[in-house]
Amino acid sequence: MVDHKQNKSRHKPLFRIFNDINERYDLINRLFTWGMDKNWRDRLVTEMLKSRPQKVLDVGCGTGDLTIRIAQSAQENITVSGYDFSRPMLDIAERKARKCIARERISFIHGDAAGMPFRDATFDCIGISFALRNLLFENPSAHQYLCEIFRVLKPGGKFLSVDSSQPQNKIIRWLDHLYLCTYVYTIGMVISGDRCAYKYLTRSAMNFDSPEQLEKRFLAAGFHKFFYQPLFFGAAAIYGATK
Ligand SMILES: C[S@@+](CC[C@H](N)C(=O)[O-])C[C@H]1O[C@@H](n2cnc3c(N)ncnc32)[C@H](O)[C@@H]1O
């Protein structure tokens, strides 16, 4: 694992959450989404590999599921870097990657997404699964993160993310929010033992940007051709844009 010096803009409450819940993170994720998170990541991988990228970055890679999935699904000449500021999450990712057939194509780097150790225009494609909300929601460095992703992406390259979303239909949105603040909050708190973490995570999911707000943010960072593809009645979505 490569270590990049930490950037001072690190969002402190978030940093603590992911350092604390790492060993139970995958289990909690499966329970929250009834296993659908795997399928949603696969949908993202399909989108990412459409342009046959050779150098790919997974920002906020956590326990490495997206990084590994990309490396396993792609053609042989791909390299995939997983980047995260939580060392315990990266330790789990490395453990998983060692067992995977595509391990030669994978590397993990430790550091904050606000200042990444890559040259301008390094990657053909950049993906994020379930970490965009962490980078943007009530985060003072939100714009800086998007600009940094834009900087390390090649011109014409795609930035794609899968994350929770706000269902457009009012009744479905009400049910989604009820689900978040009862089931998700309770299960998360019981399994992780961290009330604060799950209060933050449910609040951020319930109040995350609409596609229109996200589009504005993406365009302000320099991207164009924003797109939005709802998944599971809009409870999740794939968001994307081009440099
Ligand atoms: C909800 S987890 C998602 C993990 C993984 N991508 C997945 O699909 O399960 C969010 C991850 O983003 C990481 N993260 C949050 N803010 C970050 C930042 N500023 N720089 C680097 N990583 C960050 C956290 O450490 C955590 O591992």
Side-chain angles (χ1 to χ4, degrees):
M1 187 195 309
V2 181
D3 202 344
H4 178 52
K5 73 178 164 40
Q6 290 296 300
N7 184 303
K8 291 223 168 49
S9 72
R10 178 202 285 166
H11 193 41
K12 291 209 172 57
L14 259 184
F15 182 67
R16 188 185 53 74
I17 289 172
F18 291 111
N19 269 334
D20 291 351
I21 64 171
N22 55 85
E23 287 295 344
R24 284 146 292 168
Y25 173 79
D26 285 343
L27 169 68
I28 294 174
N29 235 355
R30 296 297 106 82
L31 288 173
F32 281 178
T33 64
W34 300 88
M36 283 187 290
D37 61 302
K38 284 188 172 183
N39 178 267
W40 294 341
R41 266 190 216 90
D42 284 350
R43 299 276 291 268
L44 179 67
V45 171
T46 305
E47 280 301 319
M48 291 180 72
L49 296 181
K50 272 184 182 163
S51 56
R52 300 187 145 262
Q54 294 190 349
K55 282 196 90 169
V56 174
L57 175 66
D58 173 12
V59 180
C61 64
T63 57
D65 284 1
L66 179 66
T67 320
I68 293 170
R69 205 78 191 102
I70 298 167
Q72 285 176 331
S73 314
Q75 75 278 16
E76 273 173 15
N77 58 349
I78 198 168
T79 59
V80 191
S81 307
Y83 191 83
D84 202 288
F85 71 1
S86 164
R87 195 180 285 279
M89 295 288 265
L90 284 177
D91 288 342
I92 297 172
E94 287 210 315
R95 247 172 19 222
K96 286 188 195 166
R98 255 179 254 135
K99 293 186 207 143
C100 111
I101 44 160
R103 60 185 168 275
E104 305 296 327
R105 306 174 189 170
I106 298 173
S107 60
F108 289 106
I109 300 145
H110 178 233
D112 191 327
M116 297 192 274
F118 310 115
R119 289 172 193 226
D120 295 359
T122 299
F123 297 98
D124 302 303
C125 186
I126 299 180
I128 297 197
S129 54
F130 307 106
L132 185 67
R133 190 156 42 95
N134 302 147
L135 297 183
L136 304 185
F137 180 73
E138 289 183 355
N139 196 323
S141 308
H143 181 65
Q144 190 183 345
Y145 288 123
L146 289 178
C147 290
E148 186 62 358
I149 288 167
F150 184 82
R151 180 185 71 76
V152 301
L153 186 62
K154 284 185 185 162
K158 280 213 169 121
F159 168 45
L160 290 152
S161 162
V162 65
D163 216 305
S164 61
S165 175
Q166 305 292 345
Q168 303 287 306
N169 180 295
K170 276 188 188 161
I171 297 169
I172 297 180
R173 190 161 63 236
W174 182 80
L175 288 171
D176 180 52
H177 287 187
L178 185 67
Y179 177 75
L180 286 168
C181 59
T182 52
Y183 176 79
V184 169
Y185 175 64
T186 312
I187 294 281
M189 200 182 66
V190 169
I191 297 183
S192 74
D194 189 338
R195 178 192 290 262
C196 254
Y198 281 89
K199 222 175 191 167
Y200 165 83
L201 290 175
T202 51
R203 195 164 55 85
S204 65
M206 286 165 64
N207 296 290
F208 189 43
D209 288 357
S210 65
E212 294 74 22
Q213 287 166 321
L214 272 181
E215 178 171 17
K216 269 194 198 150
R217 286 189 194 266
F218 280 37
L219 298 187
F223 291 99
H224 62 284
K225 290 194 198 158
F226 176 84
F227 84 89
Y228 162 77
Q229 184 187 324
L231 303 169
F232 196 63
F233 306 103
I238 293 179
Y239 307 98
T242 305
K243 175 167 176 180

